[in-house]
Amino acid sequence: MNEPLHPQLLSIDRLAISYADGDERRRVVDEVSFDIASGEVVALVGESGSGKSTTAQAIIGLLPEGGRIDSGAIRLNGEAISHWSGKRLAALRGSVISLIPQDPGSSLNPVRTIGAQIGEIFRIHGERDRTAIAARTLDLLDRVGLSEPALRVRQYPHELSGGMKQRVLIAIAIALKPQLIIADEPTSALDVTVQRRVLDLIDEVRRDAGTALLLVTHDLGVAADRADRIVVLQGGRVQEVGVAAELLAHPRSAYARQLLADAPSLNARPTNRQPPVAGADSIVVAGLIQDFAVDRRTAIRAVDDISFTVRRGSTHALVGESGSGKTTTARSIVGFQRPTAGRILIEGTEISSLAGAALRQFRSRIQLVYQNPFSSLDPRQRVIDIVTEPLRNLSSLGPTERRAKAAALLERVGLPEALHMRRPRALSGGQRQRVAIARALVLDPEILVLDEAVSALDVTVQGHVLRLLDELQRERGLTYLFVSHDLAVVRQISDTVSVLQNGRVVESGTVADVFERPQSAYARQLIDAIPGRRSSAHVGQP
Amino acid sequence: MQRYVFSRIGQALLVLWLAFTVSFVLLQALPGDAVLIKFLSPELGLSPAQIAEIQAAYGSDTPVILQYFAAIANFVTGNFGYSVHAGVPVSQLLAANLPQTLRLATLGLTLALAIAVALAFLSTLTRFAFLRNALQALPALFISVPTFWLGIMLIQVFSFRLRLIPVINPSELQGLILPTITLAIPISAPLAQILMRNIDAALTQSYVEVARAKGASPAFVLWHHVARNAVLPTLTIAGILLGELLAGAVVTETVFGLNGIGGLTEQAVRSQDTAVLQAIVVLSAVVFVIANLVVDLLYPLFDPRLRTRQEVLA
Amino acid sequence: MTTIEPTLSLNTHQAARPRGHAQFRRIVRRVQPGLLLSIAVIAIVVLWAIAPGVFATQNPVLGVPVDKLQPPSALHLLGTDALGRDLFARIVHGAVHSLTGAFVAVGVGLVVGTALGVIAGSSRGFVEAAIMRLADVLLSIPALLLMLSIIILLGFGTVNAAIAVGATSIASFARLARSEVVRVRRSDYVEAAFGSGGTFAGVLWRHVLPNSLTSVIAFAALQFGSAILAISTLGFLGYGAPPPTPEWGLLIAEGRNYISTAWWLTTAPGIVVVIVVLAANRISQGLGGHGR
């Protein structure tokens, strides 16, 4: 329908963008060039700080305050739009270029109805007929697969789930049949199974209308599944551009190769794990039930009769989406809350029988590593003090011995001495997570519980930390309980797995069994939702 | 919903009762016998028998705990006791002075709201960075100015230098202009600051980016998406604001020599007239509690998120 | 994922290396000129309070009647009052009253309020409910009326006025301290500290208190400004220091009688109050911004 007069719909030419940083300007996008043809899907792939979101924001003319295009051009249908006035650009937004935002949770105005927020886009672009707007709104809601459109228009965002909100935002993005949709990490805030359905929907509505899509993502697997061509960004520069299948099969740049190697979704089993040693049971959970009181009369059952065992020296994964009870289970196991019912045996000790000083002493045997390395380290402490503190609490070592032990361990997890006197604020995310791992290991525990411990990290950093964990496990004979929503990572590093849904175990077994021959419908659904499967045929296995 | 309303009203009554108790302890129980202090003064030359008679008349010869219960009963029925200084019922004094203060407070609040809204929205909409910085700096200045000094400066400039407003026998309208400004400016500052902060917070929300991506103009976004989200939380300080308004009236009425609750308060403190002060303290607590109650009960009407939560609870 | 700030990747430590000049400039920029100026203002006022004689040689209490009501001049920087006293000398000598008053007031609020807040935040149940309900009640009475009630109880005077001012901020300090303690207690690093074998007292002392007191301190600086305002208000109303004292609020009250003839008597002390309060508030903002 949009017969291209110009070969390219969108053409980015040597684009450079900087942000104000005090008196100076910091370049975040440098000499970036790529094109998007009509109806084409281009994925912009990169880690945080790669400039991928900034590039997308510049195209739609919505750079945050302080951002500026220094040089280069953005051409839409051959016409340079990068220096258009705000008013001219506004006429373009929504009608020719539209946006699907990252976080559906905060992307809808909480005090206005769904109907008002969809109908608004027609009003902004000149439609005055209220009944026409209402009819088109209902039509759109139906189009994006929301049940009962007539009810939805009167609802408020908080009454909808995350996936439903993202459908509403897709409806807004396609309302005026634009030529280009920019989707900025459209699914990173959603659960895995929902992610896949949303990506499918975007694909479908886009294909029907022949709309081009710029898909901004950190996940090479998602790009592999959905894009015609892939642009790999790093540090604000284009590392590689190519047809998706080709780029994935034969990456030419070193960075693309590394990204590919570290992307868990594209690698079935990169680490050669030994089959679980036939050892004694390290963790035994039997019939665990965990209730939380909402008020005096009602309670929510977060964990409903969960049982599993973990062999000493092996890695067991607890997998599930949000609300599955996986984190609650992990916290009960490390003794942060008392089970409502059921037994938890850690190396033969029943932890619910412990209290006070005995519980305190017991903590040296099992340690937890948190998801968010930004909140799990005291911002006022120095790195070395963070790692020495557990020894102060629970060991008989003197001050110099404590420091020596902590320093040695920090070196071991890859933090050179120069960093030991820093505070967490002056460290990167990966470095902080290494500090957290060192703190957990300094008491020489037998078990480490890793609660989404690598989920907040960039892919390549994640790769480094996973390799470190693997080495540490072999050196120290550690038992890992790995809590994650990310099945790709789980497949990579665990020996056995329990799949959780609504507080119950729906499937468990060895990783090979569960991933190759899932028995339950839910496990199958989760595994199918792992991105990167469609094109994994193209990826050379090591 | 009904349960929510009743529990809110219950909480409000509890705070009121506690506020009454605190004021009773501070002003009646701890100072001992205000009447005694006043009439024991040798200048009056009263005999012990006469003093006892007066004490009995004021009810202050009974034990403190009985006085407390009597005082509660009296307050509930609108009997606030006698002013030792003026010799008339406190309720009569309040009735005489309340209308003047209400008028001043209403005008002051209206002006304060206008100033705050104008500052917050103009600083958001303006294109010029210097103007934005200037407008955003004003509340910090307003908050640092002593109210009484502001009043004196206004009199000095407008009445004595510019001679715009006569000092002697101004018309009723003229007489209200300067006090209203004096009262409004310190009240507008925290309001403007909260509004500015809320607008800034709302502007960083991604629904604003989505609205911009729909092609909406900055003014459209401000009106349709930011305004309500920014103004709603401001309602929660309504109670504190009304209290500050009353306190501001004390100073303003003193500076401008106006009759009102403020002037009455100033006099009551000077003459140690505890009954009057206690009535005013309790009155302001009532205003505070009612304002908060109204906001709590109305808030769900404006914020759909709370509406459903309550329906779920009810 | 959308952060524009490039996160340091694992093996590059370029941010660690001091970058000489650029880093120095960054530090200078971080300490904004407004903040420096504010610190200078407070420093000068503190010096006025410590050694007023160094700054103002004229007698603040005994005037020269012949020189009464003179406008500002080289001899009398800010003019003289009705008794021929040098206004600048009176303002300089008055600093000690405003500052000690404000210190006492903030001290009362900070110590009592924070103690109550920390107790409420680190205990649960009845104690917490009782303390916080009391704070609610104190907040339901306008600050000025509460001050006046306490002054009626204690009597007029500089120290009594300061205590009254401090008492009104107890509830705010308690609320802030409690919410900060609760916020920090919920954080992962506190749980991690318990998880690595910390005792209740140890964790409270090593993690909870240091991390929650930052904003309490910033709030104290903010209260310092409003305490100076409140004390000058009480002085103006005549409930603070008695007349010959050159307390700033009292100076303005005295100047009021000569409003038509001697504008400097009310203008100058007021401007001093405004500048000191602005400076204190600016410093508070700086403290709060760096604490997080």
Side-chain angles (χ1 to χ4, degrees):
Chain A
M1 41 183 273
N2 302 305
E3 200 47 48
L5 292 169
H6 306 275
Q8 298 301 346
L9 170 66
L10 183 82
S11 148
I12 310 285
D13 188 14
R14 298 163 68 93
L15 188 66
I17 301 169
S18 64
Y19 281 104
D21 180 11
D23 300 337
E24 299 155 34
R25 296 201 69 80
R26 200 157 37 87
R27 196 47 80 77
V28 293
V29 170
D30 208 358
E31 301 274 307
V32 165
S33 305
F34 63 91
D35 301 316
I36 303 176
S38 278
E40 189 186 26
V41 180
V42 173
L44 207 51
V45 179
E47 300 182 280
S48 52
S50 63
K52 57 186 193 303
S53 284
T54 303
T55 307
Q57 287 165 330
I59 294 170
I60 198 162
L62 290 176
L63 281 176
E65 214 172 283
R68 189 181 72 193
I69 295 178
D70 293 332
S71 61
I74 300 168
R75 291 196 192 84
L76 186 71
N77 293 320
E79 198 171 352
I81 59 167
S82 35
H83 297 290
W84 276 16
S85 71
K87 222 172 184 167
R88 265 181 103 186
L89 270 175
L92 217 60
R93 282 188 216 122
S95 60
V96 185
I97 306 179
S98 67
L99 176 79
I100 300 174
Q102 176 170 25
D103 178 12
S106 62
S107 294
L108 290 170
N109 190 337
V111 299
R112 304 188 66 212
T113 60
I114 300 300
Q117 298 191 58
I118 298 178
E120 182 177 276
I121 190 166
F122 299 116
R123 251 181 79 190
I124 291 169
H125 291 278
E127 175 69 75
R128 287 283 166 266
D129 182 353
R130 277 165 192 275
T131 41
I133 290 178
R136 291 172 75 178
T137 302
L138 285 176
D139 217 37
L140 276 171
L141 284 171
D142 191 45
R143 179 80 197 77
V144 296
L146 278 174
S147 58
E148 301 181 75
L151 169 67
R152 303 288 170 224
V153 291
R154 279 181 282 114
Q155 280 183 315
Y156 288 92
H158 69 274
E159 297 170 89
L160 271 56
S161 70
M164 287 158 85
K165 282 183 218 167
Q166 196 58 296
R167 281 169 196 270
V168 171
L169 288 156
I170 292 171
I172 294 171
I174 61 170
L176 296 173
K177 304 198 167 53
Q179 296 176 323
L180 173 67
I181 296 174
I182 296 174
D184 186 0
E185 301 270 9
T187 57
S188 55
L190 301 173
D191 270 335
V192 265
T193 51
V194 184
Q195 265 180 24
R196 186 178 172 213
R197 286 199 289 270
V198 166
L199 286 170
D200 284 346
L201 174 68
I202 295 177
D203 246 3
E204 184 197 324
V205 294
R206 181 199 69 74
R207 195 162 306 166
D208 291 354
T211 312
L213 176 70
L214 178 66
L215 181 63
V216 179
T217 178
H218 68 282
D219 191 335
L220 205 51
V222 169
D225 283 352
R226 312 280 167 175
D228 300 320
R229 288 191 306 127
I230 294 178
V231 180
V232 179
L233 283 180
Q234 185 204 16
R237 287 175 173 274
V238 174
Q239 296 298 320
E240 190 163 348
V241 186
V243 173
E246 232 168 82
L247 188 145
L248 293 167
H250 310 288
R252 279 164 294 142
S253 64
Y255 180 68
R257 266 199 295 279
Q258 162 149 42
L259 212 52
L260 209 55
D262 287 332
S265 54
L266 295 173
N267 296 281
R269 284 191 84 79
T271 47
N272 275 327
R273 294 198 63 83
Q274 307 297 320
V277 200
D281 287 340
S282 182
I283 306 173
V284 179
V285 175
L288 178 67
I289 290 175
Q290 198 79 57
D291 288 345
F292 290 110
V294 179
D295 54 50
R296 261 173 235 165
R297 275 170 293 177
T298 42
I300 287 177
R301 182 150 292 187
V303 171
D304 189 4
D305 193 15
I306 281 183
S307 306
F308 61 88
T309 54
V310 185
R311 292 258 178 80
R312 192 172 295 156
S314 75
T315 300
H316 182 78
L318 290 181
V319 179
E321 299 182 286
S322 52
S324 62
K326 57 186 192 302
T327 292
T328 309
T329 308
R331 292 171 49 80
S332 304
I333 289 171
V334 293
F336 280 139
Q337 63 213 5
R338 242 162 230 289
T340 310
R343 285 157 33 94
I344 300 171
L345 291 168
I346 303 297
E347 295 288 344
T349 311
E350 168 84 52
I351 61 154
S352 55
S353 69
L354 299 173
L359 181 62
R360 230 159 60 74
Q361 286 301 324
F362 172 78
R363 294 202 186 279
S364 64
R365 308 185 65 180
I366 179 164
Q367 284 285 309
L368 177 67
V369 178
Y370 293 80
Q371 165 171 18
N372 186 347
F374 291 77
S375 67
S376 65
L377 305 177
D378 185 338
R380 303 180 71 90
Q381 274 187 311
R382 293 177 192 283
V383 165
I384 187 78
D385 297 326
I386 292 174
V387 181
T388 6
E389 186 175 316
L391 293 173
R392 271 173 73 158
N393 294 333
L394 291 177
S395 82
S396 50
L397 298 178
T400 37
E401 292 158 299
R402 292 198 296 246
R403 277 181 91 86
K405 183 169 183 187
L409 192 57
L410 279 167
E411 295 271 358
R412 174 62 197 92
V413 300
L415 290 171
E417 206 179 337
L419 301 178
H420 295 187
M421 296 310 282
R422 296 244 193 119
R423 292 183 207 283
R425 204 180 311 156
L427 300 179
S428 70
Q431 289 169 338
R432 291 184 209 203
Q433 203 58 309
R434 283 165 195 256
V435 175
I437 290 170
R439 172 179 59 190
L441 287 178
V442 77
L443 289 169
D444 300 313
E446 290 136 275
I447 304 169
L448 221 51
V449 177
L450 301 148
D451 184 5
E452 301 273 13
V454 295
S455 307
L457 305 176
D458 271 332
V459 193
T460 52
V461 181
Q462 193 178 39
H464 285 131
V465 172
L466 287 175
R467 278 191 285 279
L468 172 70
L469 285 172
D470 196 49
E471 289 164 22
L472 290 169
Q473 182 170 41
R474 266 179 279 148
E475 279 171 28
R476 299 169 166 244
L478 290 165
T479 307
Y480 285 163
L481 182 65
F482 192 85
V483 178
S484 182
H485 72 283
D486 190 337
L487 276 88
V489 173
V490 164
R491 180 174 53 185
Q492 202 177 337
I493 70 144
S494 357
D495 303 304
T496 49
V497 59
S498 297
V499 179
L500 269 54
Q501 186 188 21
N502 299 330
R504 290 172 170 273
V505 178
V506 291
E507 179 147 359
S508 59
T510 65
V511 164
D513 281 345
V514 172
F515 278 78
E516 304 306 326
R517 295 170 290 279
Q519 301 300 309
S520 64
Y522 181 68
R524 205 169 307 128
Q525 206 184 337
L526 278 180
I527 290 160
D528 285 346
I530 303 177
R533 291 174 67 83
R534 293 192 198 173
S535 45
S536 55
H538 302 294
V539 182
Q541 295 274 331
Chain B
M1 193 65 203
Q2 236 171 4
R3 224 176 88 195
Y4 171 77
V5 173
F6 283 128
S7 87
R8 271 280 174 279
I9 292 177
Q11 281 174 24
L13 288 177
L14 180 68
V15 169
L16 263 187
W17 169 64
L18 287 172
F20 174 84
T21 309
V22 167
S23 71
F24 182 85
V25 170
L26 277 179
L27 295 169
Q28 306 283 345
L30 288 181
D33 212 322
V35 182
L36 209 61
I37 294 164
K38 188 176 161 78
F39 292 98
L40 272 179
S41 165
E43 290 164 31
L44 293 173
L46 295 172
S47 71
Q50 282 172 306
I51 291 173
E53 202 175 308
I54 295 167
Q55 270 186 315
Y58 280 100
S60 59
D61 56 346
T62 44
V64 172
I65 190 74
L66 289 183
Q67 284 183 42
Y68 173 70
F69 286 118
I72 286 190
N74 285 337
F75 263 76
V76 171
T77 54
N79 174 8
F80 304 137
Y82 273 85
S83 160
V84 181
H85 178 69
V88 292
V90 175
S91 50
Q92 204 173 314
L93 280 177
L94 288 181
N97 286 292
L98 203 54
Q100 175 82 338
T101 300
L102 275 183
R103 188 167 46 182
L104 180 63
T106 314
L107 287 172
L109 184 62
T110 313
L111 183 62
L113 283 173
I115 294 174
V117 169
L119 281 179
F121 283 80
L122 279 180
S123 72
T124 312
L125 276 181
T126 180
R127 281 158 196 252
F128 308 107
F130 76 92
L131 188 59
R132 184 180 317 140
N133 292 340
L135 289 173
Q136 284 178 342
L138 271 184
L141 179 65
F142 287 175
I143 235 168
S144 309
V145 175
T147 313
F148 62 93
W149 182 70
L150 179 68
I152 292 172
M153 285 295 110
L154 288 173
I155 295 175
Q156 198 161 312
V157 172
F158 290 98
S159 297
F160 287 103
R161 300 277 141 212
L162 304 175
R163 300 190 180 281
L164 290 175
I165 293 161
V167 190
I168 301 153
N169 289 329
S171 73
E172 199 174 349
L173 182 70
Q174 282 172 326
L176 275 172
I177 294 175
L178 296 184
T180 304
I181 298 174
T182 307
L183 187 57
I185 285 196
I187 303 277
S188 71
L191 258 178
Q193 280 177 329
I194 289 175
L195 268 179
M196 283 176 182
R197 212 178 309 139
N198 290 345
I199 289 177
D200 279 350
L203 279 174
T204 62
Q205 295 291 310
S206 40
Y207 59 78
V208 167
E209 197 188 342
V210 169
R212 299 275 284 139
K214 289 174 187 167
S217 66
F220 184 97
V221 171
L222 190 65
W223 181 244
H224 284 93
H225 290 279
V226 174
R228 192 148 144 211
N229 284 300
V231 170
L232 271 182
T234 321
L235 283 179
T236 53
I237 64 155
I240 291 178
L241 217 61
L242 288 178
E244 289 306 309
L245 213 54
L246 198 68
V250 174
V251 174
T252 310
E253 290 176 0
T254 310
V255 170
F256 289 92
L258 302 173
N259 297 318
I261 299 290
L264 191 64
T265 312
E266 199 260 347
Q267 240 169 45
V269 177
R270 194 167 298 287
S271 55
Q272 310 258 310
D273 201 343
T274 51
V276 174
L277 192 60
Q278 198 198 351
I280 292 169
V281 167
V282 173
L283 180 76
S284 61
V286 169
V287 169
F288 173 89
V289 164
I290 290 181
N292 276 351
L293 185 65
V294 169
V295 168
D296 276 354
L297 293 181
L298 288 186
Y299 210 95
L301 294 182
F302 300 112
D303 193 333
R305 283 165 292 185
L306 292 172
R307 210 180 305 159
T308 358
R309 212 166 295 154
Q310 277 159 30
E311 278 158 16
V312 169
L313 287 178
Chain C
M1 289 292 122
T2 46
T3 44
I4 44 151
E5 200 178 335
T7 327
L8 293 181
S9 74
L10 272 177
N11 303 316
T12 52
H13 302 306
Q14 71 263 59
R17 238 168 279 143
R19 273 179 280 169
H21 190 59
Q23 201 186 30
F24 174 73
R25 273 212 316 239
R26 197 156 299 165
I27 291 170
V28 170
R29 204 183 306 132
R30 201 174 292 163
V31 182
Q32 304 94 333
L35 186 58
L36 283 179
L37 197 66
S38 304
I39 293 171
V41 165
I42 298 294
I44 288 173
V45 176
V46 168
L47 288 177
W48 283 2
I50 296 169
V54 179
F55 296 89
T57 44
Q58 274 144 317
N59 192 314
V61 183
L62 291 174
V64 185
V66 191
D67 293 340
K68 68 173 186 181
L69 294 177
Q70 288 196 348
S73 64
L75 185 61
H76 301 288
L77 279 179
L78 297 175
T80 59
D81 70 2
L83 299 176
R85 295 176 293 198
D86 181 67
L87 183 58
F88 178 70
R90 283 178 67 71
I91 290 177
V92 170
H93 283 268
V96 68
H97 300 283
S98 292
L99 284 196
T100 47
F103 271 118
V104 170
V106 174
V108 168
L110 181 70
V111 173
V112 181
T114 309
L116 286 174
V118 170
I119 292 170
S122 43
S123 63
R124 292 266 159 83
F126 177 74
V127 176
E128 182 182 18
I131 292 176
M132 293 332 289
R133 200 28 56 93
L134 185 69
D136 284 350
V137 171
L138 288 180
L139 286 173
S140 74
I141 302 170
L144 186 67
L145 291 182
L146 193 57
M147 283 177 215
L148 297 184
S149 307
I150 294 169
I151 283 177
I152 282 204
L153 180 65
L154 299 177
F156 298 171
T158 318
V159 177
N160 289 349
I163 292 173
V165 171
T168 58
S169 62
I170 289 176
S172 310
F173 271 108
R175 268 200 174 178
L176 177 69
R178 178 190 159 273
S179 75
E180 281 295 296
V181 167
V182 168
R183 176 183 68 84
V184 174
R185 268 187 67 151
R186 286 207 194 108
S187 67
D188 284 349
Y189 60 81
V190 165
E191 193 184 77
F194 281 118
S196 61
T199 56
F200 182 81
V203 175
L204 191 71
W205 180 249
R206 219 174 297 153
H207 300 282
V208 178
L209 285 184
N211 281 293
S212 40
L213 289 187
T214 315
S215 23
V216 175
I217 299 293
F219 185 68
L222 191 68
Q223 282 300 306
F224 188 77
S226 30
I228 287 181
L229 273 185
I231 284 171
S232 72
T233 303
L234 293 179
F236 170 80
L237 292 173
Y239 307 145
T245 323
E247 195 275 329
W248 293 343
L250 199 57
L251 287 184
I252 298 174
E254 288 169 358
R256 239 177 115 195
N257 302 327
Y258 308 94
I259 189 168
S260 57
T261 49
W263 55 268
W264 56 92
L265 286 180
T266 45
T267 311
I271 289 176
V272 171
V273 171
V274 172
I275 288 174
V276 172
V277 175
L278 271 176
N281 290 354
R282 180 67 190 79
I283 292 173
S284 151
Q285 206 187 333
L287 284 175
H290 285 281
R292 291 287 157 87

